[in-house]
Amino acid sequence: MVVCRKRKKNCDPDDAGETESGDNWDHVTFDPEHRLVINVVPGKRNSENTVKVVEELEERTDKDMIELIITTDEYKPYKTAILNAYGKKNHSPHTGNPGRPHQSLHGTAGKT
């Protein structure tokens, strides 16, 4: 286990004992309603660990049974990782007409 004793900018690159030190993160997912930690991925802040924490969250949750609200600190790799794990593609049916299909923004009422 690597312990963050100091920030990476303060580490001596020539010191063999400090090559793995500095700037480690705990990537954590949790359920605030139940105060439950779902998973933790310790390590460097990089896209590999970001993908890993999102994939582990996806493995431990049932996408069809629960509604997730996912918040991040806007670190760019989260967008791709979340879309890959939870995204769904919607395909509009082809109408044969040019342009996008017309979608009604309101319902219609019928007379009875």
Side-chain angles (χ1 to χ4, degrees):
M1 179 174 175
V2 178
V3 177
C4 186
R5 294 182 293 259
K6 54 181 149 178
R7 296 182 71 61
K8 189 70 172 176
K9 66 180 180 181
N10 297 326
C11 292
D12 182 4
D14 298 327
D15 185 350
E18 292 187 358
T19 57
E20 293 295 317
S21 295
D23 297 350
N24 284 308
W25 290 72
D26 288 330
H27 301 78
V28 180
T29 59
F30 65 95
D31 176 357
E33 181 180 348
H34 299 100
R35 297 182 184 179
L36 173 70
V37 173
I38 299 170
N39 67 325
V40 178
V41 176
K44 301 294 182 190
R45 184 170 189 179
N46 56 31
S47 59
E48 180 182 320
N49 286 334
T50 303
V51 168
K52 187 174 180 180
V53 75
V54 173
E55 285 177 350
E56 287 183 13
L57 174 66
E58 191 264 336
E59 290 172 7
R60 294 180 173 150
T61 57
D62 185 352
K63 293 191 281 189
D64 298 325
M65 296 296 293
I66 61 173
E67 291 184 27
L68 290 177
I69 298 174
I70 299 175
T71 60
T72 72
D73 60 356
E74 297 184 13
Y75 182 51
K76 287 186 180 186
Y78 278 119
K79 182 177 182 179
T80 304
I82 292 167
L83 284 173
N84 288 341
Y86 290 98
K88 294 180 183 177
K89 291 188 177 189
N90 293 328
H91 296 285
S92 299
H94 293 285
T95 62
N97 298 326
R100 295 183 182 163
H102 177 72
Q103 295 181 355
S104 176
L105 299 177
H106 54 81
T108 57
K111 293 183 179 180
T112 57

